[in-house]
């Protein structure tokens, strides 16, 4: 599995390989694998974990875009998917709060 601990300037072999192949199927598999790598997890109310993950993947995407634009775009897609989760979870938290306040 891809390690998301990439040091800027020293991309791992998976990044180099993905750049060379630039296959949509591999990119999609990479995206799904990263998203599924969280497995079961517990979260409190709100979406702080997802905000942090979105920021981390966005920073990685920005650091790789120049030399590895394909990989950077996949990482940006991952960040955007976490942003979407943030919006959904924040909405859920707002609804739960309104329901608690009503009762």
């Amino acid at each position: 599995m891809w390690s998301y601990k990439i040091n800027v300037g020293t991309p791992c072999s998976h990044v180099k390989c993905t750049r060379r192949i630039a296959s949509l199927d591999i990119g999609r598999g990479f995206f799904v694998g990263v998203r599924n790598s969280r497995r079961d997890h517990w979260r409190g109310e709100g979406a702080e974990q997802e905000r942090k993950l979105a920021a981390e993947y966005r920073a990685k995407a920005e650091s790789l875009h120049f030399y590895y634009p394909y990989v950077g775009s996949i990482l940006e897609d991952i960040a955007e998917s976490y942003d979407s989760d943030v919006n959904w979870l924040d909405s859920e938290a707002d609804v739960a709060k309104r329901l608690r306040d009503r009762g």
Side-chain angles (χ1 to χ4, degrees):
M1 187 67 189
W2 174 70
S3 171
Y4 63 87
K5 302 289 185 193
I6 295 175
N7 297 323
V8 177
T10 57
C12 65
S13 61
H14 292 79
V15 171
K16 292 177 183 177
C17 181
T18 304
R19 176 198 60 164
R20 271 180 277 181
I21 297 171
S23 159
L24 292 177
D25 290 336
I26 289 177
R28 187 70 186 151
F30 180 71
F31 175 95
V32 170
V34 168
R35 288 297 309 229
N36 287 344
S37 68
R38 283 183 82 187
R39 302 188 185 204
D40 294 337
H41 57 279
W42 179 261
R43 71 169 65 86
E45 193 170 316
E48 289 309 310
Q49 293 175 5
E50 286 73 15
R51 278 188 186 83
K52 183 179 175 187
L53 288 167
E56 288 175 8
Y57 280 100
R58 188 159 286 113
K60 290 173 186 138
E62 289 171 4
S63 72
L64 292 174
H65 265 299
F66 185 74
Y67 291 107
Y68 305 98
Y70 180 67
V71 176
S73 70
I74 296 169
L75 295 176
E76 183 61 35
D77 289 345
I78 294 168
E80 288 173 4
S81 74
Y82 281 119
D83 287 336
S84 178
D85 289 353
V86 165
N87 293 333
W88 182 78
L89 291 167
D90 283 347
S91 268
E92 289 290 311
D94 289 343
V95 169
K97 183 180 182 308
R98 283 193 307 247
L99 290 174
R100 277 194 311 270
D101 290 347
R102 264 180 63 184

